């Protein structure tokens, strides 16, 4: 007897892990999906595509997931902009996705990366909840994880807490507790691009120095132009006197 073949273009034993993250609570969770029917909606979709979660089960009804990346069984990551579902070899700069370290900044190395299209040989797929459904997902949406590290730049701290320019940013910096041998203490990052009274005074001093230097250079240029004009007039007068003297010598003497 012949075994009936499936009409699906994907392998029957498709297994994949879904790493689901929810930025609103700061939590993420990895689930194992072993059914082909649940993974069918993710196949042949690109990074940044939004997919409804109804196929995963009734618990995910109303949820919308956005694909952010993934990696295959050998650990090669998916890279945005490569329109293929296979593995390719690209010349990457130091710091690019798929290249951990480079020899020098001016050199490139050829490394293997995966395309941005989801294929059956993807081992883990990273998704983010773009729209929350009615049901709560245990460990993802029902708990809130406190933010360990906050922003350092002053403008980003204002954006995070919706502050105005008159508010003191130093009171809203995210601090974290550190337990040591002498007891617990708190640490906070140094705020970057913080405009203080000392910074304003330093900028005023620099502007005053620049204005003084500019005025000094303009004054020196005016004095140089005056000296140059006097020098040119003196040379012109000497040249005229010299020509007149030579003309007087060449003139015939009266008998």
């Amino acid at each position: 007897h012949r075994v009936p073949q499936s009409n699906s273009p994907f392998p029957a034993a498709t297994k994949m892990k879904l790493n689901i993250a929810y930025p609103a609570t700061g939590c993420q969770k990895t689930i194992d999906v072993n059914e082909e029917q649940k993974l069918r909606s993710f196949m042949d979709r690109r990074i940044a595509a939004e997919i409804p979660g109804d196929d995963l089960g009734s618990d995910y009804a109303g949820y919308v997931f956005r694909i952010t990346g993934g990696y295959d069984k050998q650990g090669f990551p998916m890279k945005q902009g490569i329109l293929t579902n296979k593995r390719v070899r690209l010349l990457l700069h130091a710091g690019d996705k798929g290249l951990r370290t480079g020899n020098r900044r001016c050199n490139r190395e050829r490394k293997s990366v995966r395309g941005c299209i989801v294929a059956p040989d993807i081992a883990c797929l990273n998704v983010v909840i773009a729209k929350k459904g009615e049901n709560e997902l245990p460990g993802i949406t029902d708990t809130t994880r406190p933010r360990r590290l906050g922003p350092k730049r002053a403008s980003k701290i204002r954006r995070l807490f919706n502050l105005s320019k008159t508010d003191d940013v130093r009171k809203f910096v995210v601090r974290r507790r550190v337990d040591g041998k002498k007891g617990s203490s708190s640490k906070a990052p140094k705020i970057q691009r913080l405009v203080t009274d000392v910074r304003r005074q330093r900028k005023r001093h620099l502007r005053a120095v620049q204005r003084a230097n500019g005025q000094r250079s303009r004054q020196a240029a005016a004095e140089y132009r005056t000296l140059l004009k006097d020098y040119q007039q003196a040379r012109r007068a000497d040249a005229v006197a010299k020509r007149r003297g030579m003309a007087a010598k060449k003139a015939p003497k009266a008998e």
Side-chain angles (χ1 to χ4, degrees):
H1 298 282
R2 296 176 58 184
V3 178
Q5 297 181 356
S6 176
N7 296 327
S8 175
F10 310 113
T14 302
K15 296 182 181 180
M16 188 181 297
K17 292 183 178 181
L18 288 181
N19 188 10
I20 304 174
Y22 191 37
T25 59
C27 299
Q28 64 178 5
K29 186 177 181 180
T30 303
I31 61 173
D32 294 330
V33 181
N34 300 326
E35 298 181 14
E36 176 190 358
Q37 187 176 1
K38 294 182 179 181
L39 297 174
R40 191 172 298 174
S41 59
F42 291 93
M43 295 301 169
D44 288 341
R45 303 300 296 271
R46 301 180 185 176
I47 294 179
E50 294 187 354
I51 301 167
D54 298 335
D55 294 340
L56 295 177
S58 59
D59 296 337
Y60 302 91
Y63 280 85
V64 177
F65 299 104
R66 184 172 64 250
I67 301 175
T68 58
Y71 54 89
D72 58 5
K73 297 178 181 179
Q74 286 75 29
F76 293 95
M78 299 173 64
K79 190 174 178 64
Q80 178 68 291
I82 305 174
L83 301 180
T84 182
N85 58 356
K86 300 179 182 179
R87 195 184 304 169
V88 294
R89 290 178 60 84
L90 300 178
L91 283 173
L92 303 178
H93 288 281
D96 290 345
K97 187 175 182 180
L99 180 60
R100 292 185 177 180
T101 57
N103 295 331
R104 287 176 295 183
R105 293 181 63 183
C106 58
N107 287 349
R108 295 185 296 173
E109 294 185 17
R110 190 173 295 277
K111 292 293 182 179
S112 296
V113 293
R114 292 199 63 89
C116 64
I117 301 176
V118 181
D121 52 352
I122 294 294
C124 183
L125 191 65
N126 301 327
V127 296
V128 173
I129 298 176
K131 180 182 177 182
K132 183 182 176 182
E134 298 179 357
N135 300 327
E136 295 287 344
L137 299 180
I140 303 177
T141 60
D142 58 348
T143 58
T144 302
R145 187 175 182 181
R147 189 166 184 171
R148 180 177 175 269
L149 299 177
K152 296 179 63 177
R153 191 178 301 177
S155 60
K156 293 186 177 181
I157 296 175
R158 291 192 183 95
R159 190 185 311 154
L160 178 63
F161 294 100
N162 196 16
L163 304 177
S164 62
K165 291 185 178 180
T166 58
D167 295 331
D168 191 2
V169 183
R170 291 170 289 187
K171 297 180 181 179
F172 294 89
V173 64
V174 178
R175 307 185 68 91
R176 62 187 181 92
R177 303 291 299 179
V178 178
D179 296 330
K181 296 181 180 179
K182 297 182 179 180
S184 62
S185 61
S186 63
K187 295 179 66 175
K190 181 181 178 181
I191 303 176
Q192 304 295 324
R193 303 184 185 180
L194 179 63
V195 180
T196 59
D197 295 337
V198 177
R199 176 60 180 167
R200 295 190 186 97
Q201 182 181 1
R202 188 181 298 116
K203 292 187 71 173
R204 288 196 298 267
H205 174 68
L206 291 177
R207 291 198 195 99
V209 171
Q210 291 176 357
R211 285 195 296 267
N213 292 339
Q215 185 176 0
R216 191 183 304 111
S217 62
R218 288 191 294 270
Q219 185 177 358
E223 293 176 358
Y224 173 75
R225 285 194 297 269
T226 303
L227 292 175
L228 182 62
K229 185 177 180 180
D230 296 341
Y231 175 72
Q232 291 176 350
Q233 290 179 355
R235 288 199 61 182
R236 194 178 299 112
D238 293 342
V240 171
K242 188 175 181 180
R243 285 198 300 270
R244 287 178 180 177
M246 294 179 64
K249 288 181 180 180
K250 292 182 180 180
K253 297 181 180 181
E255 295 181 355

